[in-house]
Amino acid sequence: MIFGEIPLAEAVGARLAHGVRAEGLSLHKGHEVTEEDRAALAAAGVSTVIAVRLEEDDIGEDEAAGLIAAAIAPDHLTFTPSATGRINLHAAVNGLFVVDRAAIDRFNRVDPAITIATLPDHASVMEGDMVATIKIIPLAVPDALARKAASVLASSRALEVKPFIAHRVGLVATELPSLKTSVMDKTRRLLEQRLHPSGSRLTAEMRVPHREGDLASAIRRAAGENDVVVVFGASAVTDANDVIPAAIRGAGGVVEHVGMPVDPGNLLVLGRVGTVPVLGAPGCARSPKENGFDWILARIFAREKPGPQEITGMGVGGLLTEIPSRPQPRDLRAPERPLSVAALVLAAGRASRMQGSHKLLAAFDGEALVRRTSEAALAAKPSRVLVVTGHRAEEIEAALGGLKVDIVRNPDFAQGMSTSLRAGVSALGPGCDGVAVMLADMPHVTGADVRRLLDAFAAAGGHAIVRAVSGGKRGNPVVLPRSTFSALLQLEGDVGARHIVESAGLDVVDVEIGEAAHIDVDTPEAVVAAGGVLRD
């Protein structure tokens, strides 16, 4: 392939290395210049183009990508059409993506012009997920090079998706007085969610005392009725002769491995009763966040047989995101400084349903609602309190006179709540670890309520989302960690932070504060019902 600046008179048949735009003419990169293109470019005053000419043994980028893709066994994979030298590979089923790193390395070392990038080995994937992408860097490559690269993939099973197979799963859980029934119920629900992608189902749950004999009997019975047995212990495993491994042996099984170099997930136990795998789940598997238990479960559902060799090879990449709610976090160092958490009171809305009155100026126990809410924020003793104003800002700010709050004016308040969140978060500064978002129209939220939320946030190390609930039903206020700030700054329209709470992938800690979490005042009737007196 010959690359360079070509006189326009010689450009017919060449492929553009850079797009060209001139007087309504737009030719994209890779376009093969025609005689009509040449005439149009000349008329537009273009005299040269940056282009490539293919030599006799060259093939175009799309042809090269297609030749390489054809060398990959298509089982449980789909391929996009080649475009700009790229073909993407997607999983055709829910399963386990398995890749031979050595083969992929050999492929990528054939020539820098020919590349493939993949997901990590043994990544769990859902149908439709992209697992790899083939990319030819230049506009053309020698045919021999493309064939050499293709032969690497053809000579080995370099990558594949092993489909998940549905399994019958039995759950055995041990009980101690210190373990709440609600925690065990939640554990069962989370396990059922983990089984869903593979089509597996939980056949039954047995709850027995945390004693070797009782547990051994339950494991023996569960292994006789299921394809996999999962044991959740009420107490963590601390030794190869602890209750769970001892019970596996007592059930006639063998313990293959205790512990794993994946964190969270260190305390996993892997055993078998006959051919049935028995997993002693680590405590972190009570959380929905990814941990070592998920890795072993996925391999089993893909009909692999993980053992000590596989488990001990999981250390590289095995340091996963910390689960804030863990009783014993891995980082035991004292924090270098106390958490800095601000309170953000949103008071910029137009109160469009108030028929001319302003709800935040309504009197509750003789003072304006916005002042009452801001005083509750101050009483919780956050690092600072910011109040975002907008509609009738002067009156709102006058009602806050004398309070030690920082006013943030939102000139875009008419575009919805997201603009107030963005304005407030932008004003927090670099040293803020989290923010308690408060709605100014919630008259019964107290300083003690907000303090409980802040304490829960501190107990989670400043990494969890903390929200107020009433009877288990979500409400407000909500405390958001710094890791969510970038998402908050991208919100648009009349929306709050609910989507971020639900999609951030962080632990969510619920704090019960009673009916105050649900009572806001959006109408004149609601103001009166909540004990307020309307003002203009």
Side-chain angles (χ1 to χ4, degrees):
M1 183 180 70
I2 303 170
F3 175 93
E5 186 173 7
I6 300 176
L8 189 59
E10 302 172 11
V12 174
R15 301 188 184 193
L16 295 176
H18 300 290
V20 178
R21 291 188 179 184
E23 296 186 7
L25 186 66
S26 179
L27 303 178
H28 60 77
K29 172 187 173 184
H31 176 77
E32 186 171 336
V33 179
T34 66
E35 177 58 37
E36 291 77 10
D37 298 329
R38 187 204 61 75
L41 290 169
V46 176
S47 60
T48 62
V49 292
I50 304 297
V52 299
R53 289 189 180 280
L54 272 60
E55 298 182 274
E56 184 176 352
D57 64 341
D58 286 340
I59 58 175
E61 56 182 346
D62 288 340
E63 184 180 351
L67 187 155
I68 291 166
I72 300 172
D75 293 348
H76 311 301
L77 292 168
T78 62
F79 300 76
T80 62
S82 182
T84 64
R86 183 184 299 279
I87 293 179
N88 296 328
L89 286 66
H90 296 261
V93 294
N94 293 357
L96 195 66
F97 176 67
V98 180
V99 58
D100 180 347
R101 175 165 186 156
I104 296 300
D105 287 348
R106 287 198 304 274
F107 176 94
N108 283 323
R109 288 166 184 156
V110 168
D111 192 272
I114 301 172
T115 69
I116 185 169
T118 78
L119 292 181
D121 181 34
H122 281 84
S124 293
V125 294
M126 301 290 284
E127 179 181 354
D129 286 351
M130 185 189 297
V131 298
T133 184
I134 299 165
K135 175 61 178 172
I136 308 301
I137 305 299
L139 294 172
V141 294
D143 177 76
L145 274 182
R147 293 187 182 279
K148 182 179 179 181
S151 69
V152 174
L153 300 183
S155 64
S156 65
R157 203 166 186 84
L159 50 84
E160 62 179 316
V161 174
K162 294 184 177 180
F164 287 142
I165 305 300
H167 286 63
R168 297 170 300 159
V169 180
L171 170 61
V172 181
T174 68
E175 298 177 300
L176 286 173
S178 58
L179 185 62
K180 295 180 180 178
T181 300
S182 60
V183 172
M184 300 179 76
D185 293 341
K186 179 184 177 183
T187 299
R188 174 185 174 130
R189 291 194 300 271
L190 285 173
L191 179 59
E192 288 175 327
Q193 292 174 18
R194 283 187 158 97
L195 302 183
H196 182 72
S198 67
S200 299
R201 63 185 180 89
L202 188 63
T203 61
E205 177 185 9
M206 288 183 276
R207 296 183 179 180
V208 298
H210 191 71
R211 293 194 294 264
E212 179 184 333
D214 296 289
L215 181 55
S217 297
I219 290 174
R220 188 181 304 111
R221 176 182 167 188
E225 299 172 349
N226 295 281
D227 306 309
V228 180
V229 176
V230 175
V231 179
F232 273 92
S235 180
V237 172
T238 59
D239 189 85
N241 293 308
D242 210 335
V243 171
I244 292 177
I248 293 173
R249 289 189 286 265
V254 295
V255 176
E256 297 187 341
H257 203 75
V258 177
M260 67 186 309
V262 179
D263 194 310
N266 293 143
L267 303 183
L268 179 132
V269 177
L270 175 63
R272 294 185 187 274
V273 175
T275 60
V276 177
V278 180
L279 295 179
C284 59
R286 298 188 190 275
S287 165
K289 298 193 76 169
E290 182 184 19
N291 57 79
F293 174 68
D294 294 298
W295 290 15
I296 299 299
L297 205 60
R299 293 194 182 210
I300 291 172
F301 289 160
R303 287 193 169 172
E304 292 194 352
K305 295 180 179 180
Q309 184 74 11
E310 290 75 22
I311 291 176
T312 54
M314 293 178 177
V316 175
L319 182 61
L320 304 178
T321 303
E322 176 70 287
I323 295 173
S325 58
R326 290 171 76 184
Q328 190 80 355
R330 60 184 172 224
D331 191 349
L332 301 180
R333 296 173 299 174
E336 296 179 1
R337 58 174 176 78
L339 291 175
S340 174
V341 185
L344 182 62
V345 181
L346 303 184
R350 291 178 293 175
S352 56
R353 290 185 283 171
M354 290 301 298
Q355 302 174 15
S357 299
H358 198 314
K359 59 183 177 181
L360 299 185
L361 298 175
F364 282 80
D365 296 329
E367 64 180 2
L369 175 55
V370 67
R371 186 179 184 91
R372 178 187 180 97
T373 310
S374 300
E375 287 176 338
L378 288 165
K381 297 184 178 179
S383 58
R384 61 190 291 215
V385 175
L386 300 88
V387 182
V388 182
T389 64
H391 179 60
R392 295 172 64 172
E394 292 80 3
E395 296 167 83
I396 296 295
E397 292 164 14
L400 298 172
L403 296 183
K404 293 184 178 180
V405 299
D406 296 322
I407 301 297
V408 179
R409 281 277 186 105
N410 174 19
D412 301 318
F413 67 88
Q415 297 177 25
M417 184 183 292
S418 67
T419 63
S420 291
L421 282 167
R422 295 203 309 263
V425 171
S426 296
L428 291 175
C432 186
D433 299 300
V435 60
V437 179
M438 302 176 61
L439 305 182
D441 64 351
M442 301 187 71
H444 299 318
V445 172
T446 66
D449 294 332
V450 180
R451 186 65 250 171
R452 290 176 61 202
L453 297 174
L454 298 182
D455 289 343
F457 183 72
H463 301 296
I465 293 170
V466 179
R467 65 185 177 191
V469 299
S470 176
K473 185 178 179 181
R474 63 191 177 196
N476 284 292
V478 61
V479 185
L480 300 169
R482 186 172 188 83
S483 60
T484 66
F485 287 5
S486 61
L488 290 169
L489 292 171
Q490 295 176 38
L491 288 173
E492 294 183 355
D494 193 18
V495 298
R498 176 176 294 183
H499 173 71
I500 293 172
V501 171
E502 295 173 350
S503 64
L506 300 173
D507 277 7
V508 178
V509 178
D510 289 338
V511 176
E512 178 68 45
I513 69 168
E515 283 299 315
H518 290 164
I519 297 176
D520 57 8
V521 290
D522 285 332
T523 65
E525 295 77 14
V527 170
V528 174
V533 177
L534 286 169
R535 297 171 176 168
D536 290 338

